[in-house]
Amino acid sequence: MVGALLILESARKRGYADPDLLHAVALAVRTYKQDDGMTMFVGPDSAGRLMEVGVVSLRDGTRAIAHAMRPARKKFLPANQRRSRARP
């Protein structure tokens, strides 16, 4: 993704660092356009852990990160990267 991104407080609620959010978008391995206008980017944070980052367009055209979660949920991962979270 080219251009500056605003980071909304809703994306910071889980305590992720801004550079991790930007890194995940810049190096996204998958993107998904959702019906609600958000585009989900799945990419690595600065430590290489896959996270999901949601980007929206505001009324003035500014692109903003509105959502972030780590690890990325299974529904956003390729089938070969889905693992059960259950532990023996």
Side-chain angles (χ1 to χ4, degrees):
M1 167 169 277
V2 179
L5 288 170
L6 176 67
I7 301 175
L8 303 178
E9 287 305 313
S10 59
R12 293 184 172 119
K13 71 181 178 182
R14 292 183 177 89
Y16 305 128
D18 290 359
D20 283 339
L21 304 179
L22 296 170
H23 194 271
V25 172
L27 299 176
V29 295
R30 295 193 72 129
T31 60
Y32 298 90
K33 291 191 184 234
Q34 300 189 141
D35 293 339
D36 61 2
M38 185 176 294
T39 300
M40 298 299 289
F41 291 80
V42 177
D45 63 12
S46 57
R49 300 169 292 199
L50 283 181
M51 64 185 308
E52 63 187 66
V53 178
V55 176
V56 295
S57 290
L58 304 179
R59 289 184 182 169
D60 66 1
T62 303
R63 306 267 298 158
I65 296 175
H67 167 81
M69 184 179 290
R70 184 177 54 221
R73 290 175 284 178
K74 286 182 184 182
K75 69 181 182 177
F76 295 119
L77 296 175
N80 64 345
Q81 292 183 346
R82 295 178 187 169
R83 287 189 247 159
S84 171
R85 292 187 188 189
R87 304 207 180 206

